[in-house]
Amino acid sequence: MITLALAKGRIFEETAPLLAAAGIRPVEDPESSRKLILATQRPDLRLILVRAADVPTYVQYGAADLGVAGRDILAEHGGQGLYQPLDLGIARCRMVVAVPEGFDYAAAVKQGARLRVATKYIGTAREHFAAKGVHVDLIKLYGSMELAPLVGLADAIVDLVDTGNTLKANRLRVVEEIMPVSSRLIVNPASLKLKREALAPLIEAFARLGRG
Ligand code: PRT
Ligand code: MG
């Protein structure tokens, strides 16, 4: 049995066409089903649905043989125990530093001010600001980071931006780009050895269909 870990929402929606092109279709719609293990029309392949941030953990421990995870999630996870053969080029966005429109970020940094930064990407943010020599106190949030500067919780946020509409609607602007983000195929190294015959054609199909 091959187990593929995916997150509902963006990741599933953008992975589904790649799966379909590789001849894999879930037998139920994950968005409406409450099941966490979904059979596919291939008897030797099943999907498990987990939180986006948990995909690397399932693959690292071999509970899933492979998965699809954003570079944002992988950077935060660290990538230990994961083989990352492919950038699938899906679910693209950017990880950025954003501040309220009226906040002079450059001046604050120049003055050596200590900034409060809210984010769910604590590790990545710490590395980014340390490399720039910017002093920060990081505040861990689990979502809706855009709210934090509006209510005085933080001076800045580290978050993902796609169209920029969410930042704009909340009167925030990008001041630094941390990294471009897209989703990658991740594989458990032991699975790759033990199930190579089943996994190799799948990885090759993803390689042909992805746009990395
Ligand atoms: O839902 P859950 O809390 O479990 O996790 P999640 O919200 O992180 O998962 P999900 O499914 O929303 O995102 C999964 C992955 O999609 C992320 O890990 C990224 O790799 C990728 N991705 C691509 C994005 C975006 N684009 C994106 N725009 N993830 C989140 N966003 C957010 C962004 O932070 C902003 O708040 O979408 C909002 C809208 O963006 P704009 O700029 O288009 O307005
Ligand atoms: Mg979400």
Side-chain angles (χ1 to χ4, degrees):
M1 176 65 74
I2 303 173
T3 303
L4 170 63
L6 294 175
K8 282 191 194 189
R10 262 186 204 91
I11 299 281
F12 180 82
E13 281 159 27
E14 299 200 27
T15 305
L18 296 182
L19 290 176
I24 300 159
R25 273 180 317 279
V27 295
E28 283 172 90
D29 176 8
E31 301 301 334
S32 57
S33 172
R34 294 198 166 259
K35 288 189 186 163
L36 299 174
I37 302 179
L38 292 188
T40 71
Q41 93 303 352
R42 252 181 75 166
D44 66 330
L45 198 152
R46 64 180 183 174
L47 307 182
I48 61 171
L49 299 173
V50 304
R51 292 290 294 264
D54 292 334
V55 170
T57 307
Y58 278 85
V59 176
Q60 171 187 8
Y61 288 98
D65 300 299
L66 65 184
V68 176
R71 185 179 173 198
D72 53 322
I73 298 296
L74 289 166
E76 204 57 26
H77 171 271
Q80 64 277 16
L82 297 175
Y83 173 53
Q84 301 184 28
L86 291 174
D87 182 345
L88 297 171
I90 59 170
R92 287 180 185 276
C93 59
R94 300 178 295 145
M95 190 185 293
V96 303
V97 181
V99 301
E101 279 168 4
F103 181 72
D104 193 343
Y105 177 78
V109 167
K110 211 168 165 189
Q111 287 164 16
R114 201 166 181 90
L115 298 175
R116 295 223 297 189
V117 180
T119 186
K120 76 176 177 189
Y121 303 105
I122 293 282
T124 315
R126 183 178 293 119
E127 249 179 60
H128 172 77
F129 291 111
K132 294 221 150 199
V134 177
H135 303 291
V136 292
D137 289 320
L138 296 171
I139 299 174
K140 167 79 182 183
L141 290 179
Y142 292 88
S144 301
M145 272 75 80
E146 294 92 347
L147 176 64
L150 308 184
V151 293
L153 179 62
D155 303 304
I157 60 172
V158 167
D159 195 6
L160 303 179
V161 183
D162 178 17
T163 61
N165 289 340
T166 306
L167 289 184
K168 209 166 161 193
N170 292 291
R171 300 179 150 274
L172 301 168
R173 67 187 173 95
V174 174
V175 288
E176 276 166 10
E177 170 140 356
I178 298 179
M179 61 167 93
V181 169
S182 55
S183 285
R184 297 173 175 189
L185 186 67
I186 57 176
V187 186
N188 177 278
S191 296
L192 190 58
K193 278 194 199 130
L194 297 169
K195 305 182 184 177
R196 181 175 277 282
E197 254 171 73
L199 289 178
L202 208 55
I203 296 169
E204 278 161 33
F206 275 116
R208 279 195 305 277
L209 301 163
R211 291 155 290 150

